[in-house]
Amino acid sequence: MKKLMSFFIAIVAACILLQVGVSRLESAQGDSGAKTLNLFNWGDYIDPSLIKKFEKETGYKVNYETFDSNEAMLTKIQQGGTSYDLAVPSDYTIEKMKKEHLLIPLDRSKLKGMNNIGSDFINKSFDPGNKYSIPYFWGTLGIIYNDKFVKASEMQHWSDLWNPKWHHSIMLVDSARDILGFSLVRNGDSMNTRSPAKIAHARTELDKLAPNVKAIVADEIKMYMIQNEAPLAVTWSGEASEMLDNNSHLHYVVPTEGSNLWFDNLVIPKTAKHFDAIYAFLNFMLEPKNAAQNTEYVGYATPNTKAKALLPKDVRNDKQFYPDADTVSKLQVYEDLGLKTVGLYNDEFLEFKMHRS
Amino acid sequence: MSNTAKRIYYIPYMLWIVLFVIAPVALIIYQSFFNLDHQFTLANYATYFTSSTYLMMTLNSFWYALIITVATVLISYPAALFLNQLKHKNLWLLLIILPTWINLLLKAYAFIGIFGQHGSVNQFLGFIGIGPKQILFTDFSFIFVATYIEIPFMILPIYNAIAEIDPALLAASRDLGATNWQTLTRVLLPLTRKGIVAGVQAVFIPSLSLFMLTRLIGGNRVITLGTAIEEHFLTTMNWGMGSTIGVVLIVMMFLSMAVTGERHHKRKEIGTGAKEK
């Protein structure tokens, strides 16, 4: 009993010591000082050497905190515990945050280099006139195929997925709007349709696709595709670029008839405090040289036209991640459809998942 | 004095029950009566009981949970019997409990590696000439992994029930000329019924709402009520509908408790009656 007690006390003492140490360290790094910037971003979504360069050039200290889903980020900002100065939400979340008054408008007079951003990527429905957000990276929804099993000519359009040849071959990303979305595009409808009949039609078409579907999974798609577990997958270009880096047999296609166009944009949330640092950082990231360096590190597509021009030729001309203007013009950004329609999409998707053939 | 002292001992327990059992259940029931516009309504229940999707899903959940439970009983009972005859019982029991200390997700990921197209099972199948088969994302793999995960929870109560049996009873049964089969069905099974019931309750109810496994191992080709609840709370933000499914699950839980519990009660009466004779 005595032994147990001393063991217990030792553990408590160790915990207290560690806690004190951590809080000392945190206060030493100083998130209270005026010369800091609290950046709230996705994991591994910026070149760390750029942060060092920014700190050296401007003298601001950057605290980099990460999140792994838009919903998690939204909750943390709603709670307002930490004074995040900049965050990087995706398009539909920006619309939601705007509606909930969680964003501070950008002061255009303090921004330099906004015209570096290509006209295809500004003034989108989720933020008209880009009052609140600056495009950081963009991407698409598309098909990944493994050239060991699939020829390029066999996989150019959404309808190619329905080919009976691909029995039990396709992995779909577990996302109602994306999966119903490509079925809607195939039917010639808008990915933002609110019409229950059109959504139901897209679902009955998906039911016909069911025999070809191997699994409906999330992040694991990356692992499976890299390991040649499945010949085909439908997922986002960001995920695709990671897979392509790890398996040279994989290729990414954006069907020319249309697809989703998504954005991750820099915004200033209500919790922001260090405005000088914020604009210094935004201007730093808008500089073509820095944006190009960041793009090479992250591997996503940059909306910064001048930065794109600085990229190596094979990256810049890669149709997989920079589709031609004709295809880009057919890409659709998701609108916030409201809870009722989102619910409808998810109900239909659930029914598709239940469909057994 | 001693009475008030006793009451003080009850306070942490009562607080726990109220905060973490009664309050959440009450909140779920409350939530289930509201639609997306925060209006009081019974529509969620109407939707549930008129939608073929939800009814099919309920049936699926029941069906899978039943198969998983039967499979675990079939494996656990002989295993528990065998364990009781071993020399270092506690060591072997520990080895069976050991996997429960490892997180469910890690075990699921391990099975992804084992069952994958290039996993060890398919390599073996290829080696003996059958060739790689699709194992992951099938009903079989889902039931196999779920059974594997639930087995310790079935073995433990059965093991304890068997350990409590006086060995003299088994010896007497054999002395009186019962065959092994008769000893099993007439003596062992009735005496360990309590353990089996406890095991069934510990396995069947959680199996109704497995949802990580349905995605990771079942590839969302297996859909249970858990999948729908997760979706309503995280994606569609329709907490009312999610709560409604939750309430249905809770009711099913109580029903299965009542069904298994009652039978156990009756048997006990017969058992004590027999003893009095």
Side-chain angles (χ1 to χ4, degrees):
Chain A
M1 192 63 201
K2 237 182 189 172
K3 243 187 191 168
L4 198 69
M5 204 59 197
S6 47
F7 177 68
F8 180 72
I9 290 171
I11 286 183
V12 171
C15 288
I16 292 174
L17 268 176
L18 282 173
Q19 188 59 50
V20 169
V22 167
S23 62
R24 277 277 172 84
L25 269 178
E26 268 177 2
S27 63
Q29 282 173 353
D31 114 334
S32 49
K35 291 292 265 178
T36 58
L37 175 77
N38 297 321
L39 179 59
F40 200 24
N41 199 351
W42 301 80
D44 205 24
Y45 207 30
I46 190 167
D47 184 350
S49 64
L50 272 178
I51 294 187
K52 279 200 192 110
K53 191 178 162 199
F54 172 73
E55 286 178 336
K56 228 182 191 175
E57 271 181 22
T58 60
Y60 293 111
K61 166 97 191 59
V62 178
N63 296 319
Y64 188 71
E65 233 188 275
T66 62
F67 56 85
D68 53 17
S69 78
N70 278 300
E71 285 68 25
M73 178 223 50
L74 190 64
T75 318
K76 273 205 162 175
I77 285 176
Q78 277 168 336
Q79 287 165 349
T82 319
S83 58
Y84 299 113
D85 294 315
L86 282 169
V88 190
S90 309
D91 38 55
Y92 67 98
T93 312
I94 295 173
E95 200 170 352
K96 213 184 223 172
M97 290 173 91
K98 221 170 60 184
K99 278 183 195 157
E100 293 179 25
H101 306 289
L102 290 170
L103 297 180
I104 298 174
L106 295 165
D107 184 349
R108 282 305 180 95
S109 64
K110 288 185 189 164
L111 279 176
K112 274 174 247 144
M114 260 311 263
N115 40 10
N116 294 349
I117 305 284
S119 57
D120 279 331
F121 311 113
I122 51 171
N123 204 12
K124 289 292 178 187
S125 58
F126 59 88
D127 184 15
N130 283 64
K131 268 194 199 153
Y132 297 92
S133 71
I134 301 176
Y136 184 62
F137 282 112
W138 65 276
T140 51
L141 175 78
I143 305 167
I144 298 170
Y145 65 88
N146 189 321
D147 62 20
K148 277 186 182 172
F149 314 103
V150 185
K151 279 183 240 130
S153 58
E154 289 176 311
M155 202 42 69
Q156 288 302 319
H157 301 283
W158 291 118
S159 24
D160 291 337
L161 291 171
W162 271 261
N163 185 341
K165 191 175 173 187
W166 312 123
H167 186 74
H168 265 297
S169 303
I170 308 167
M171 295 213 159
L172 300 177
V173 71
D174 189 6
S175 157
R177 284 200 67 182
D178 288 303
I179 301 306
L180 279 161
F182 78 70
S183 186
L184 282 166
V185 169
R186 179 170 170 263
N187 290 342
D189 295 322
S190 158
M191 288 179 124
N192 289 311
T193 185
R194 284 182 166 83
S195 147
K198 283 181 179 169
I199 299 170
H201 181 211
R203 202 261 302 160
T204 46
E205 287 300 309
L206 278 180
D207 285 348
K208 291 180 200 157
L209 180 69
N212 285 0
V213 176
K214 187 178 172 106
I216 304 164
V217 282
D219 297 337
E220 307 96 83
I221 283 192
K222 268 189 275 189
M223 174 183 81
Y224 288 129
M225 291 307 288
I226 290 167
Q227 293 174 355
N228 301 324
E229 180 87 29
L232 288 161
V234 175
T235 189
W236 307 289
S237 59
E239 304 263 299
S241 81
E242 272 178 66
M243 294 181 223
L244 265 56
D245 286 344
N246 288 296
N247 185 339
S248 57
H249 289 288
L250 297 178
H251 304 273
Y252 180 73
V253 187
V254 183
T256 46
E257 60 268 32
S259 182
N260 167 238
L261 172 66
W262 54 259
F263 286 94
D264 288 333
N265 284 17
L266 284 156
V267 298
I268 309 174
K270 263 272 138 72
T271 53
K273 278 192 187 133
H274 313 102
F275 288 93
D276 290 338
I278 290 172
Y279 286 100
F281 186 79
L282 290 177
N283 290 333
F284 178 83
M285 289 311 289
L286 279 169
E287 272 174 43
K289 221 177 89 198
N290 297 332
Q293 188 186 335
N294 201 25
T295 308
E296 283 200 63
Y297 177 85
V298 176
Y300 285 28
T302 178
N304 193 319
T305 325
K306 285 190 183 157
K308 191 184 157 193
L310 295 177
L311 291 172
K313 218 175 175 185
D314 57 324
V315 178
R316 198 170 46 188
N317 294 335
D318 190 348
K319 276 247 182 103
Q320 300 179 94
F321 298 104
Y322 294 100
D324 53 49
D326 194 40
T327 309
V328 169
S329 69
K330 284 186 190 136
L331 296 175
Q332 307 171 35
V333 181
Y334 290 138
E335 293 160 22
D336 184 6
L337 297 176
L339 288 175
K340 281 227 169 92
T341 312
V342 170
L344 184 63
Y345 271 88
N346 279 280
D347 283 348
E348 294 283 357
F349 188 52
L350 202 59
E351 226 166 292
F352 158 61
K353 282 183 186 172
M354 301 246 317
H355 184 84
R356 290 269 179 135
S357 45
Chain B
M1 184 60 210
S2 72
N3 246 344
T4 47
K6 244 184 201 167
R7 258 177 225 154
I8 288 172
Y9 287 137
Y10 273 124
I11 288 177
Y13 171 75
M14 291 310 284
L15 268 179
W16 181 273
I17 291 286
V18 169
L19 282 177
F20 298 117
V21 180
I22 297 174
V25 170
L27 272 175
I28 284 179
I29 294 172
Y30 176 78
Q31 280 278 359
S32 71
F33 290 110
F34 288 88
N35 64 10
L36 276 173
D37 306 318
H38 307 288
Q39 288 157 330
F40 184 86
T41 174
L42 288 171
N44 291 331
Y45 288 92
T47 315
Y48 185 94
F49 288 107
T50 52
S51 143
S52 61
T53 316
Y54 287 124
L55 293 180
M56 262 309 281
M57 211 185 310
T58 316
L59 189 73
N60 272 350
S61 299
F62 242 97
W63 193 227
Y64 284 114
L66 193 72
I67 296 174
I68 292 165
T69 312
V70 170
T72 40
V73 172
L74 287 180
I75 296 168
S76 302
Y77 202 90
L81 264 181
F82 180 66
L83 275 175
N84 258 298
Q85 288 160 4
L86 290 173
K87 224 179 180 182
H88 304 286
K89 285 183 202 177
N90 285 328
L91 175 72
W92 292 108
L93 197 63
L94 183 78
L95 287 180
I96 293 213
I97 301 170
L98 213 61
T100 61
W101 297 348
I102 296 164
N103 190 293
L104 174 72
L105 265 182
L106 298 181
K107 287 187 273 191
Y109 272 101
F111 271 107
I112 290 179
I114 294 170
F115 283 159
Q117 206 64 249
H118 311 284
S120 27
V121 173
N122 269 326
Q123 266 167 11
F124 176 72
L125 288 181
F127 177 71
I128 59 171
I130 298 177
K133 287 263 179 301
Q134 181 65 42
I135 305 173
L136 217 53
F137 316 129
T138 58
D139 285 345
F140 165 78
S141 61
F142 172 69
I143 290 165
F144 186 94
V145 176
T147 306
Y148 162 79
I149 282 162
E150 302 288 2
I151 272 178
F153 302 104
M154 183 66 86
I155 286 191
L156 267 184
I158 297 180
Y159 172 88
N160 287 333
I162 295 176
E164 274 173 22
I165 296 174
D166 187 349
L169 283 175
L170 300 182
S173 149
R174 248 171 249 131
D175 282 350
L176 293 172
T179 61
N180 276 343
W181 178 249
Q182 281 171 324
T183 312
L184 178 73
T185 52
R186 296 294 179 84
V187 182
L188 261 177
L189 276 179
L191 284 174
T192 50
R193 178 159 265 125
K194 220 169 135 186
I196 300 175
V197 166
V200 166
Q201 287 179 346
V203 169
F204 183 78
I205 293 163
S207 301
L208 280 174
S209 57
L210 286 169
F211 81 92
M212 272 324 282
L213 285 187
T214 55
R215 200 191 84 198
L216 287 173
I217 304 291
N220 270 326
R221 311 304 324 260
V222 175
I223 298 288
T224 61
L225 290 173
T227 320
I229 296 180
E230 188 212 10
E231 194 171 276
H232 280 305
F233 275 91
L234 292 182
T235 322
T236 58
M237 301 289 167
N238 190 347
W239 289 23
M241 198 62 222
S243 302
T244 303
I245 305 172
V247 171
V248 172
L249 253 179
I250 294 171
V251 170
M252 292 206 297
M253 246 170 62
F254 277 112
L255 277 179
S256 56
M257 291 274 267
V259 169
T260 46
E262 199 179 26
R263 195 191 296 150
H264 153 221
H265 188 67
K266 265 184 200 158
R267 292 288 168 177
K268 206 173 168 188
E269 275 175 2
I270 296 167
T272 49
K275 243 181 216 165
E276 276 165 12
K277 275 180 202 166

